[in-house]
Amino acid sequence: MIDNETPAKELVAWCNDNGFPISLPTMYSYMKRRSEAIANGFTMELLQPKLHEESMERKMDGMKKAYTKAHQQRKEKRAQTKVKINQELADQESAKRIRHDMELLDEVIQKGFETLSMMEVISPVTAIKAIEMKHKLTNGSAGGYTHYGLEEIKLREAAREQAVVAVILEFIPVEHHEVVMKRMEDVTREYYRSIGLGEAYGQMEAREAMENHS
């Protein structure tokens, strides 16, 4: 129906009539991500989470579970890839040669991570030093939040944004919805460019597209 250019409002009505509750903003989001997936060569359809008729707390819980599951799957895939690469390297007759001096630093960092993951206890002094070093490296840009904390804020802001968009669309004629959604995306992208984060925002969009189709 999307390929036949069926209006989003009719798509929502069809889904609701057939037992698949979905809101208009969610349908626009699905159509956008599906278009991105096709443009990037993906064939798997993106299934949006069920958001309609759920409380905000249940929405957040479902999103957190999905994020945790996807993160675990990527972690397992990286582990499998690493085992395969190590096996291939072990099977080679010649010793591994360094192609760039940055590889040496990467190896040291990786070994450090592996060593840290095997440590059951880390002293408070070491933990505090790690916090201080992180603050210096990031220049305090994280505001004291951990990676998990920032992801939590990101999920909450995404849910809030979707709720606000749903309200705004109620006061805009249906025939203008797609134009408004496109304009909002352009304005957001331009804002990040104006503060010097255009490239980072583009990478974030690409990463989210990959994660949603992995």
Side-chain angles (χ1 to χ4, degrees), residues 55-92:
S55 66
M56 184 61 70
E57 182 178 354
R58 292 184 61 187
K59 292 178 186 177
M60 294 304 303
D61 183 63
M63 294 169 71
K64 286 166 61 178
K65 289 181 179 178
Y67 171 80
T68 302
K69 181 178 179 180
H71 178 73
Q72 182 62 31
Q73 289 177 339
R74 292 194 299 273
K75 182 178 179 181
E76 293 175 355
K77 186 175 182 179
R78 287 196 298 268
Q80 293 174 356
T81 302
K82 182 180 177 182
V83 170
K84 182 178 180 180
I85 292 176
N86 288 339
Q87 184 60 47
E88 291 176 352
L89 291 174
D91 293 339
Q92 294 179 0

PDB file of all heavy atoms in Angstrom, residues 55-92:
ATOM      1  N   SER A  55       0.493   3.078  28.338  1.00  0.00           N
ATOM      2  CA  SER A  55       0.925   4.188  29.176  1.00  0.00           C
ATOM      3  C   SER A  55       2.361   4.534  28.835  1.00  0.00           C
ATOM      4  O   SER A  55       3.096   3.733  28.271  1.00  0.00           O
ATOM      5  CB  SER A  55       0.840   3.803  30.660  1.00  0.00           C
ATOM      6  OG  SER A  55       1.777   2.784  30.940  1.00  0.00           O
ATOM      7  N   MET A  56       2.767   5.766  29.169  1.00  0.00           N
ATOM      8  CA  MET A  56       4.133   6.212  28.870  1.00  0.00           C
ATOM      9  C   MET A  56       5.158   5.327  29.565  1.00  0.00           C
ATOM     10  O   MET A  56       6.220   5.028  29.034  1.00  0.00           O
ATOM     11  CB  MET A  56       4.309   7.670  29.326  1.00  0.00           C
ATOM     12  CG  MET A  56       5.669   8.252  28.959  1.00  0.00           C
ATOM     13  SD  MET A  56       5.955   8.273  27.181  1.00  0.00           S
ATOM     14  CE  MET A  56       4.773   9.556  26.709  1.00  0.00           C
ATOM     15  N   GLU A  57       4.812   4.860  30.757  1.00  0.00           N
ATOM     16  CA  GLU A  57       5.755   4.009  31.491  1.00  0.00           C
ATOM     17  C   GLU A  57       5.973   2.691  30.770  1.00  0.00           C
ATOM     18  O   GLU A  57       7.103   2.219  30.658  1.00  0.00           O
ATOM     19  CB  GLU A  57       5.207   3.744  32.896  1.00  0.00           C
ATOM     20  CG  GLU A  57       6.142   2.895  33.748  1.00  0.00           C
ATOM     21  CD  GLU A  57       5.614   2.685  35.158  1.00  0.00           C
ATOM     22  OE1 GLU A  57       4.584   3.294  35.494  1.00  0.00           O
ATOM     23  OE2 GLU A  57       6.224   1.898  35.895  1.00  0.00           O
ATOM     24  N   ARG A  58       4.918   2.092  30.243  1.00  0.00           N
ATOM     25  CA  ARG A  58       5.051   0.834  29.508  1.00  0.00           C
ATOM     26  C   ARG A  58       5.784   1.048  28.190  1.00  0.00           C
ATOM     27  O   ARG A  58       6.523   0.189  27.728  1.00  0.00           O
ATOM     28  CB  ARG A  58       3.673   0.233  29.249  1.00  0.00           C
ATOM     29  CG  ARG A  58       2.973  -0.253  30.517  1.00  0.00           C
ATOM     30  CD  ARG A  58       1.666  -0.934  30.195  1.00  0.00           C
ATOM     31  NE  ARG A  58       1.871  -2.094  29.346  1.00  0.00           N
ATOM     32  CZ  ARG A  58       0.873  -2.790  28.804  1.00  0.00           C
ATOM     33  NH1 ARG A  58      -0.380  -2.425  29.015  1.00  0.00           N
ATOM     34  NH2 ARG A  58       1.122  -3.837  28.041  1.00  0.00           N
ATOM     35  N   LYS A  59       5.591   2.214  27.580  1.00  0.00           N
ATOM     36  CA  LYS A  59       6.315   2.512  26.343  1.00  0.00           C
ATOM     37  C   LYS A  59       7.817   2.521  26.595  1.00  0.00           C
ATOM     38  O   LYS A  59       8.602   1.912  25.880  1.00  0.00           O
ATOM     39  CB  LYS A  59       5.896   3.877  25.795  1.00  0.00           C
ATOM     40  CG  LYS A  59       4.468   3.952  25.289  1.00  0.00           C
ATOM     41  CD  LYS A  59       4.194   5.363  24.825  1.00  0.00           C
ATOM     42  CE  LYS A  59       2.738   5.545  24.444  1.00  0.00           C
ATOM     43  NZ  LYS A  59       2.443   6.932  24.051  1.00  0.00           N
ATOM     44  N   MET A  60       8.212   3.238  27.655  1.00  0.00           N
ATOM     45  CA  MET A  60       9.630   3.345  27.966  1.00  0.00           C
ATOM     46  C   MET A  60      10.229   1.991  28.310  1.00  0.00           C
ATOM     47  O   MET A  60      11.351   1.670  27.930  1.00  0.00           O
ATOM     48  CB  MET A  60       9.828   4.315  29.144  1.00  0.00           C
ATOM     49  CG  MET A  60       9.445   5.754  28.830  1.00  0.00           C
ATOM     50  SD  MET A  60      10.323   6.392  27.391  1.00  0.00           S
ATOM     51  CE  MET A  60      12.005   6.141  27.925  1.00  0.00           C
ATOM     52  N   ASP A  61       9.456   1.175  29.038  1.00  0.00           N
ATOM     53  CA  ASP A  61       9.955  -0.143  29.426  1.00  0.00           C
ATOM     54  C   ASP A  61      10.200  -1.011  28.200  1.00  0.00           C
ATOM     55  O   ASP A  61      11.217  -1.694  28.084  1.00  0.00           O
ATOM     56  CB  ASP A  61       8.945  -0.810  30.362  1.00  0.00           C
ATOM     57  CG  ASP A  61       9.441  -2.157  30.863  1.00  0.00           C
ATOM     58  OD1 ASP A  61      10.474  -2.209  31.561  1.00  0.00           O
ATOM     59  OD2 ASP A  61       8.802  -3.176  30.560  1.00  0.00           O
ATOM     60  N   GLY A  62       9.267  -0.954  27.241  1.00  0.00           N
ATOM     61  CA  GLY A  62       9.430  -1.741  26.013  1.00  0.00           C
ATOM     62  C   GLY A  62      10.614  -1.290  25.192  1.00  0.00           C
ATOM     63  O   GLY A  62      11.360  -2.094  24.643  1.00  0.00           O
ATOM     64  N   MET A  63      10.826   0.040  25.121  1.00  0.00           N
ATOM     65  CA  MET A  63      11.950   0.579  24.364  1.00  0.00           C
ATOM     66  C   MET A  63      13.280   0.199  25.001  1.00  0.00           C
ATOM     67  O   MET A  63      14.244  -0.130  24.316  1.00  0.00           O
ATOM     68  CB  MET A  63      11.820   2.098  24.272  1.00  0.00           C
ATOM     69  CG  MET A  63      10.613   2.562  23.461  1.00  0.00           C
ATOM     70  SD  MET A  63      10.283   4.332  23.604  1.00  0.00           S
ATOM     71  CE  MET A  63      11.661   4.980  22.685  1.00  0.00           C
ATOM     72  N   LYS A  64      13.323   0.234  26.352  1.00  0.00           N
ATOM     73  CA  LYS A  64      14.544  -0.133  27.058  1.00  0.00           C
ATOM     74  C   LYS A  64      14.881  -1.604  26.827  1.00  0.00           C
ATOM     75  O   LYS A  64      16.043  -1.970  26.619  1.00  0.00           O
ATOM     76  CB  LYS A  64      14.387   0.145  28.550  1.00  0.00           C
ATOM     77  CG  LYS A  64      14.442   1.624  28.908  1.00  0.00           C
ATOM     78  CD  LYS A  64      13.955   1.899  30.309  1.00  0.00           C
ATOM     79  CE  LYS A  64      14.799   1.191  31.336  1.00  0.00           C
ATOM     80  NZ  LYS A  64      14.340   1.497  32.717  1.00  0.00           N
ATOM     81  N   LYS A  65      13.844  -2.473  26.868  1.00  0.00           N
ATOM     82  CA  LYS A  65      14.077  -3.896  26.645  1.00  0.00           C
ATOM     83  C   LYS A  65      14.591  -4.151  25.228  1.00  0.00           C
ATOM     84  O   LYS A  65      15.481  -4.970  25.018  1.00  0.00           O
ATOM     85  CB  LYS A  65      12.794  -4.676  26.895  1.00  0.00           C
ATOM     86  CG  LYS A  65      12.387  -4.752  28.365  1.00  0.00           C
ATOM     87  CD  LYS A  65      11.118  -5.551  28.539  1.00  0.00           C
ATOM     88  CE  LYS A  65      10.725  -5.651  30.016  1.00  0.00           C
ATOM     89  NZ  LYS A  65       9.455  -6.393  30.190  1.00  0.00           N
ATOM     90  N   ALA A  66      13.982  -3.444  24.250  1.00  0.00           N
ATOM     91  CA  ALA A  66      14.412  -3.615  22.863  1.00  0.00           C
ATOM     92  C   ALA A  66      15.855  -3.169  22.685  1.00  0.00           C
ATOM     93  O   ALA A  66      16.641  -3.809  21.989  1.00  0.00           O
ATOM     94  CB  ALA A  66      13.488  -2.816  21.934  1.00  0.00           C
ATOM     95  N   TYR A  67      16.212  -2.053  23.325  1.00  0.00           N
ATOM     96  CA  TYR A  67      17.585  -1.541  23.234  1.00  0.00           C
ATOM     97  C   TYR A  67      18.556  -2.535  23.847  1.00  0.00           C
ATOM     98  O   TYR A  67      19.611  -2.820  23.290  1.00  0.00           O
ATOM     99  CB  TYR A  67      17.685  -0.189  23.947  1.00  0.00           C
ATOM    100  CG  TYR A  67      19.100   0.307  24.079  1.00  0.00           C
ATOM    101  CD1 TYR A  67      19.740   0.932  23.017  1.00  0.00           C
ATOM    102  CD2 TYR A  67      19.802   0.137  25.269  1.00  0.00           C
ATOM    103  CE1 TYR A  67      21.052   1.367  23.144  1.00  0.00           C
ATOM    104  CE2 TYR A  67      21.118   0.577  25.392  1.00  0.00           C
ATOM    105  CZ  TYR A  67      21.718   1.194  24.323  1.00  0.00           C
ATOM    106  OH  TYR A  67      23.006   1.625  24.443  1.00  0.00           O
ATOM    107  N   THR A  68      18.188  -3.076  25.039  1.00  0.00           N
ATOM    108  CA  THR A  68      19.062  -4.029  25.726  1.00  0.00           C
ATOM    109  C   THR A  68      19.255  -5.293  24.891  1.00  0.00           C
ATOM    110  O   THR A  68      20.365  -5.817  24.779  1.00  0.00           O
ATOM    111  CB  THR A  68      18.469  -4.404  27.096  1.00  0.00           C
ATOM    112  OG1 THR A  68      18.307  -3.216  27.879  1.00  0.00           O
ATOM    113  CG2 THR A  68      19.375  -5.373  27.832  1.00  0.00           C
ATOM    114  N   LYS A  69      18.169  -5.779  24.285  1.00  0.00           N
ATOM    115  CA  LYS A  69      18.246  -6.986  23.466  1.00  0.00           C
ATOM    116  C   LYS A  69      19.131  -6.750  22.246  1.00  0.00           C
ATOM    117  O   LYS A  69      19.985  -7.579  21.911  1.00  0.00           O
ATOM    118  CB  LYS A  69      16.842  -7.390  23.013  1.00  0.00           C
ATOM    119  CG  LYS A  69      16.819  -8.660  22.177  1.00  0.00           C
ATOM    120  CD  LYS A  69      15.407  -9.040  21.788  1.00  0.00           C
ATOM    121  CE  LYS A  69      15.397 -10.303  20.928  1.00  0.00           C
ATOM    122  NZ  LYS A  69      14.011 -10.669  20.541  1.00  0.00           N
ATOM    123  N   ALA A  70      18.923  -5.604  21.565  1.00  0.00           N
ATOM    124  CA  ALA A  70      19.730  -5.297  20.389  1.00  0.00           C
ATOM    125  C   ALA A  70      21.207  -5.141  20.758  1.00  0.00           C
ATOM    126  O   ALA A  70      22.093  -5.587  20.026  1.00  0.00           O
ATOM    127  CB  ALA A  70      19.218  -4.016  19.728  1.00  0.00           C
ATOM    128  N   HIS A  71      21.450  -4.501  21.904  1.00  0.00           N
ATOM    129  CA  HIS A  71      22.834  -4.317  22.362  1.00  0.00           C
ATOM    130  C   HIS A  71      23.491  -5.668  22.632  1.00  0.00           C
ATOM    131  O   HIS A  71      24.653  -5.887  22.269  1.00  0.00           O
ATOM    132  CB  HIS A  71      22.833  -3.472  23.637  1.00  0.00           C
ATOM    133  CG  HIS A  71      24.199  -3.270  24.216  1.00  0.00           C
ATOM    134  ND1 HIS A  71      25.129  -2.428  23.637  1.00  0.00           N
ATOM    135  CD2 HIS A  71      24.809  -3.809  25.306  1.00  0.00           C
ATOM    136  CE1 HIS A  71      26.239  -2.454  24.350  1.00  0.00           C
ATOM    137  NE2 HIS A  71      26.079  -3.273  25.363  1.00  0.00           N
ATOM    138  N   GLN A  72      22.746  -6.594  23.261  1.00  0.00           N
ATOM    139  CA  GLN A  72      23.288  -7.916  23.566  1.00  0.00           C
ATOM    140  C   GLN A  72      23.562  -8.699  22.285  1.00  0.00           C
ATOM    141  O   GLN A  72      24.579  -9.393  22.182  1.00  0.00           O
ATOM    142  CB  GLN A  72      22.289  -8.690  24.446  1.00  0.00           C
ATOM    143  CG  GLN A  72      22.784 -10.076  24.866  1.00  0.00           C
ATOM    144  CD  GLN A  72      24.048 -10.023  25.700  1.00  0.00           C
ATOM    145  OE1 GLN A  72      24.260  -9.068  26.437  1.00  0.00           O
ATOM    146  NE2 GLN A  72      24.872 -11.042  25.619  1.00  0.00           N
ATOM    147  N   GLN A  73      22.655  -8.562  21.310  1.00  0.00           N
ATOM    148  CA  GLN A  73      22.845  -9.268  20.030  1.00  0.00           C
ATOM    149  C   GLN A  73      24.087  -8.764  19.310  1.00  0.00           C
ATOM    150  O   GLN A  73      24.850  -9.551  18.748  1.00  0.00           O
ATOM    151  CB  GLN A  73      21.609  -9.070  19.149  1.00  0.00           C
ATOM    152  CG  GLN A  73      20.383  -9.820  19.653  1.00  0.00           C
ATOM    153  CD  GLN A  73      19.161  -9.548  18.807  1.00  0.00           C
ATOM    154  OE1 GLN A  73      19.079  -8.549  18.102  1.00  0.00           O
ATOM    155  NE2 GLN A  73      18.174 -10.419  18.888  1.00  0.00           N
ATOM    156  N   ARG A  74      24.285  -7.434  19.331  1.00  0.00           N
ATOM    157  CA  ARG A  74      25.474  -6.881  18.687  1.00  0.00           C
ATOM    158  C   ARG A  74      26.744  -7.309  19.408  1.00  0.00           C
ATOM    159  O   ARG A  74      27.764  -7.590  18.785  1.00  0.00           O
ATOM    160  CB  ARG A  74      25.384  -5.346  18.646  1.00  0.00           C
ATOM    161  CG  ARG A  74      24.303  -4.815  17.724  1.00  0.00           C
ATOM    162  CD  ARG A  74      24.492  -3.325  17.465  1.00  0.00           C
ATOM    163  NE  ARG A  74      24.408  -2.559  18.679  1.00  0.00           N
ATOM    164  CZ  ARG A  74      23.270  -2.093  19.181  1.00  0.00           C
ATOM    165  NH1 ARG A  74      22.124  -2.340  18.565  1.00  0.00           N
ATOM    166  NH2 ARG A  74      23.272  -1.373  20.293  1.00  0.00           N
ATOM    167  N   LYS A  75      26.651  -7.392  20.756  1.00  0.00           N
ATOM    168  CA  LYS A  75      27.804  -7.812  21.542  1.00  0.00           C
ATOM    169  C   LYS A  75      28.168  -9.254  21.203  1.00  0.00           C
ATOM    170  O   LYS A  75      29.358  -9.596  21.038  1.00  0.00           O
ATOM    171  CB  LYS A  75      27.478  -7.682  23.026  1.00  0.00           C
ATOM    172  CG  LYS A  75      28.642  -8.042  23.944  1.00  0.00           C
ATOM    173  CD  LYS A  75      28.250  -7.842  25.396  1.00  0.00           C
ATOM    174  CE  LYS A  75      29.406  -8.213  26.326  1.00  0.00           C
ATOM    175  NZ  LYS A  75      29.024  -8.044  27.751  1.00  0.00           N
ATOM    176  N   GLU A  76      27.162 -10.123  21.095  1.00  0.00           N
ATOM    177  CA  GLU A  76      27.411 -11.523  20.763  1.00  0.00           C
ATOM    178  C   GLU A  76      27.975 -11.660  19.348  1.00  0.00           C
ATOM    179  O   GLU A  76      28.865 -12.477  19.108  1.00  0.00           O
ATOM    180  CB  GLU A  76      26.114 -12.320  20.899  1.00  0.00           C
ATOM    181  CG  GLU A  76      25.607 -12.433  22.333  1.00  0.00           C
ATOM    182  CD  GLU A  76      24.264 -13.113  22.424  1.00  0.00           C
ATOM    183  OE1 GLU A  76      23.687 -13.410  21.364  1.00  0.00           O
ATOM    184  OE2 GLU A  76      23.777 -13.337  23.543  1.00  0.00           O
ATOM    185  N   LYS A  77      27.463 -10.826  18.430  1.00  0.00           N
ATOM    186  CA  LYS A  77      27.946 -10.888  17.057  1.00  0.00           C
ATOM    187  C   LYS A  77      29.397 -10.453  16.970  1.00  0.00           C
ATOM    188  O   LYS A  77      30.197 -11.059  16.255  1.00  0.00           O
ATOM    189  CB  LYS A  77      27.074  -9.991  16.167  1.00  0.00           C
ATOM    190  CG  LYS A  77      27.411 -10.100  14.699  1.00  0.00           C
ATOM    191  CD  LYS A  77      26.440  -9.296  13.852  1.00  0.00           C
ATOM    192  CE  LYS A  77      26.763  -9.451  12.378  1.00  0.00           C
ATOM    193  NZ  LYS A  77      25.794  -8.681  11.533  1.00  0.00           N
ATOM    194  N   ARG A  78      29.748  -9.392  17.744  1.00  0.00           N
ATOM    195  CA  ARG A  78      31.145  -8.944  17.759  1.00  0.00           C
ATOM    196  C   ARG A  78      32.058 -10.017  18.336  1.00  0.00           C
ATOM    197  O   ARG A  78      33.175 -10.220  17.864  1.00  0.00           O
ATOM    198  CB  ARG A  78      31.263  -7.649  18.572  1.00  0.00           C
ATOM    199  CG  ARG A  78      30.704  -6.423  17.888  1.00  0.00           C
ATOM    200  CD  ARG A  78      31.201  -5.150  18.566  1.00  0.00           C
ATOM    201  NE  ARG A  78      30.772  -5.081  19.936  1.00  0.00           N
ATOM    202  CZ  ARG A  78      29.651  -4.489  20.335  1.00  0.00           C
ATOM    203  NH1 ARG A  78      28.860  -3.928  19.448  1.00  0.00           N
ATOM    204  NH2 ARG A  78      29.325  -4.448  21.615  1.00  0.00           N
ATOM    205  N   ALA A  79      31.556 -10.717  19.384  1.00  0.00           N
ATOM    206  CA  ALA A  79      32.353 -11.767  20.006  1.00  0.00           C
ATOM    207  C   ALA A  79      32.595 -12.908  19.014  1.00  0.00           C
ATOM    208  O   ALA A  79      33.707 -13.442  18.920  1.00  0.00           O
ATOM    209  CB  ALA A  79      31.655 -12.285  21.264  1.00  0.00           C
ATOM    210  N   GLN A  80      31.554 -13.272  18.265  1.00  0.00           N
ATOM    211  CA  GLN A  80      31.685 -14.342  17.274  1.00  0.00           C
ATOM    212  C   GLN A  80      32.659 -13.934  16.170  1.00  0.00           C
ATOM    213  O   GLN A  80      33.472 -14.740  15.713  1.00  0.00           O
ATOM    214  CB  GLN A  80      30.318 -14.664  16.679  1.00  0.00           C
ATOM    215  CG  GLN A  80      29.342 -15.286  17.678  1.00  0.00           C
ATOM    216  CD  GLN A  80      27.953 -15.454  17.101  1.00  0.00           C
ATOM    217  OE1 GLN A  80      27.679 -15.035  15.969  1.00  0.00           O
ATOM    218  NE2 GLN A  80      27.058 -16.051  17.865  1.00  0.00           N
ATOM    219  N   THR A  81      32.554 -12.670  15.743  1.00  0.00           N
ATOM    220  CA  THR A  81      33.452 -12.176  14.700  1.00  0.00           C
ATOM    221  C   THR A  81      34.900 -12.180  15.174  1.00  0.00           C
ATOM    222  O   THR A  81      35.814 -12.540  14.436  1.00  0.00           O
ATOM    223  CB  THR A  81      33.052 -10.747  14.290  1.00  0.00           C
ATOM    224  OG1 THR A  81      31.696 -10.744  13.826  1.00  0.00           O
ATOM    225  CG2 THR A  81      33.964 -10.216  13.196  1.00  0.00           C
ATOM    226  N   LYS A  82      35.091 -11.785  16.440  1.00  0.00           N
ATOM    227  CA  LYS A  82      36.443 -11.762  16.991  1.00  0.00           C
ATOM    228  C   LYS A  82      37.039 -13.165  17.043  1.00  0.00           C
ATOM    229  O   LYS A  82      38.209 -13.372  16.715  1.00  0.00           O
ATOM    230  CB  LYS A  82      36.415 -11.153  18.397  1.00  0.00           C
ATOM    231  CG  LYS A  82      37.794 -11.043  19.023  1.00  0.00           C
ATOM    232  CD  LYS A  82      37.725 -10.436  20.405  1.00  0.00           C
ATOM    233  CE  LYS A  82      39.107 -10.395  21.033  1.00  0.00           C
ATOM    234  NZ  LYS A  82      39.069  -9.845  22.408  1.00  0.00           N
ATOM    235  N   VAL A  83      36.227 -14.148  17.455  1.00  0.00           N
ATOM    236  CA  VAL A  83      36.701 -15.529  17.516  1.00  0.00           C
ATOM    237  C   VAL A  83      37.101 -16.010  16.120  1.00  0.00           C
ATOM    238  O   VAL A  83      38.133 -16.660  15.940  1.00  0.00           O
ATOM    239  CB  VAL A  83      35.612 -16.450  18.104  1.00  0.00           C
ATOM    240  CG1 VAL A  83      36.015 -17.915  17.944  1.00  0.00           C
ATOM    241  CG2 VAL A  83      35.394 -16.129  19.576  1.00  0.00           C
ATOM    242  N   LYS A  84      36.286 -15.658  15.125  1.00  0.00           N
ATOM    243  CA  LYS A  84      36.571 -16.067  13.755  1.00  0.00           C
ATOM    244  C   LYS A  84      37.864 -15.432  13.249  1.00  0.00           C
ATOM    245  O   LYS A  84      38.703 -16.106  12.622  1.00  0.00           O
ATOM    246  CB  LYS A  84      35.405 -15.669  12.850  1.00  0.00           C
ATOM    247  CG  LYS A  84      35.586 -16.102  11.408  1.00  0.00           C
ATOM    248  CD  LYS A  84      34.372 -15.712  10.576  1.00  0.00           C
ATOM    249  CE  LYS A  84      34.552 -16.138   9.120  1.00  0.00           C
ATOM    250  NZ  LYS A  84      33.372 -15.755   8.297  1.00  0.00           N
ATOM    251  N   ILE A  85      38.018 -14.151  13.526  1.00  0.00           N
ATOM    252  CA  ILE A  85      39.232 -13.448  13.079  1.00  0.00           C
ATOM    253  C   ILE A  85      40.477 -14.017  13.753  1.00  0.00           C
ATOM    254  O   ILE A  85      41.508 -14.246  13.117  1.00  0.00           O
ATOM    255  CB  ILE A  85      39.111 -11.936  13.378  1.00  0.00           C
ATOM    256  CG1 ILE A  85      38.034 -11.324  12.492  1.00  0.00           C
ATOM    257  CG2 ILE A  85      40.440 -11.233  13.157  1.00  0.00           C
ATOM    258  CD1 ILE A  85      37.761  -9.867  12.778  1.00  0.00           C
ATOM    259  N   ASN A  86      40.367 -14.260  15.064  1.00  0.00           N
ATOM    260  CA  ASN A  86      41.507 -14.822  15.793  1.00  0.00           C
ATOM    261  C   ASN A  86      41.888 -16.198  15.257  1.00  0.00           C
ATOM    262  O   ASN A  86      43.073 -16.548  15.177  1.00  0.00           O
ATOM    263  CB  ASN A  86      41.171 -14.927  17.284  1.00  0.00           C
ATOM    264  CG  ASN A  86      41.141 -13.571  17.969  1.00  0.00           C
ATOM    265  OD1 ASN A  86      41.722 -12.620  17.475  1.00  0.00           O
ATOM    266  ND2 ASN A  86      40.461 -13.481  19.096  1.00  0.00           N
ATOM    267  N   GLN A  87      40.874 -16.978  14.878  1.00  0.00           N
ATOM    268  CA  GLN A  87      41.137 -18.299  14.328  1.00  0.00           C
ATOM    269  C   GLN A  87      41.844 -18.195  12.987  1.00  0.00           C
ATOM    270  O   GLN A  87      42.779 -18.945  12.698  1.00  0.00           O
ATOM    271  CB  GLN A  87      39.815 -19.068  14.164  1.00  0.00           C
ATOM    272  CG  GLN A  87      39.989 -20.505  13.682  1.00  0.00           C
ATOM    273  CD  GLN A  87      40.820 -21.338  14.647  1.00  0.00           C
ATOM    274  OE1 GLN A  87      40.570 -21.303  15.850  1.00  0.00           O
ATOM    275  NE2 GLN A  87      41.779 -22.084  14.133  1.00  0.00           N
ATOM    276  N   GLU A  88      41.376 -17.227  12.165  1.00  0.00           N
ATOM    277  CA  GLU A  88      42.002 -17.042  10.855  1.00  0.00           C
ATOM    278  C   GLU A  88      43.455 -16.573  11.000  1.00  0.00           C
ATOM    279  O   GLU A  88      44.334 -17.022  10.254  1.00  0.00           O
ATOM    280  CB  GLU A  88      41.201 -16.015  10.052  1.00  0.00           C
ATOM    281  CG  GLU A  88      39.835 -16.520   9.625  1.00  0.00           C
ATOM    282  CD  GLU A  88      39.024 -15.448   8.920  1.00  0.00           C
ATOM    283  OE1 GLU A  88      39.479 -14.285   8.902  1.00  0.00           O
ATOM    284  OE2 GLU A  88      37.946 -15.780   8.397  1.00  0.00           O
ATOM    285  N   LEU A  89      43.680 -15.702  11.971  1.00  0.00           N
ATOM    286  CA  LEU A  89      45.044 -15.233  12.198  1.00  0.00           C
ATOM    287  C   LEU A  89      45.937 -16.367  12.694  1.00  0.00           C
ATOM    288  O   LEU A  89      47.120 -16.457  12.338  1.00  0.00           O
ATOM    289  CB  LEU A  89      45.039 -14.090  13.219  1.00  0.00           C
ATOM    290  CG  LEU A  89      44.410 -12.778  12.743  1.00  0.00           C
ATOM    291  CD1 LEU A  89      44.337 -11.779  13.895  1.00  0.00           C
ATOM    292  CD2 LEU A  89      45.216 -12.187  11.588  1.00  0.00           C
ATOM    293  N   ALA A  90      45.367 -17.233  13.541  1.00  0.00           N
ATOM    294  CA  ALA A  90      46.144 -18.344  14.075  1.00  0.00           C
ATOM    295  C   ALA A  90      46.513 -19.344  12.982  1.00  0.00           C
ATOM    296  O   ALA A  90      47.549 -20.025  13.051  1.00  0.00           O
ATOM    297  CB  ALA A  90      45.349 -19.043  15.180  1.00  0.00           C
ATOM    298  N   ASP A  91      45.653 -19.434  11.964  1.00  0.00           N
ATOM    299  CA  ASP A  91      45.898 -20.383  10.875  1.00  0.00           C
ATOM    300  C   ASP A  91      46.916 -19.869   9.862  1.00  0.00           C
ATOM    301  O   ASP A  91      47.404 -20.634   9.023  1.00  0.00           O
ATOM    302  CB  ASP A  91      44.574 -20.692  10.149  1.00  0.00           C
ATOM    303  CG  ASP A  91      43.611 -21.450  11.052  1.00  0.00           C
ATOM    304  OD1 ASP A  91      44.094 -22.071  12.032  1.00  0.00           O
ATOM    305  OD2 ASP A  91      42.399 -21.406  10.780  1.00  0.00           O
ATOM    306  N   GLN A  92      47.209 -18.592   9.905  1.00  0.00           N
ATOM    307  CA  GLN A  92      48.170 -18.041   8.958  1.00  0.00           C
ATOM    308  C   GLN A  92      49.587 -18.485   9.315  1.00  0.00           C
ATOM    309  O   GLN A  92      49.954 -18.589  10.478  1.00  0.00           O
ATOM    310  CB  GLN A  92      48.094 -16.510   8.965  1.00  0.00           C
ATOM    311  CG  GLN A  92      46.771 -15.969   8.441  1.00  0.00           C
ATOM    312  CD  GLN A  92      46.733 -14.451   8.492  1.00  0.00           C
ATOM    313  OE1 GLN A  92      47.696 -13.836   8.928  1.00  0.00           O
ATOM    314  NE2 GLN A  92      45.627 -13.881   8.042  1.00  0.00           N
TER     315      GLN A  92
END
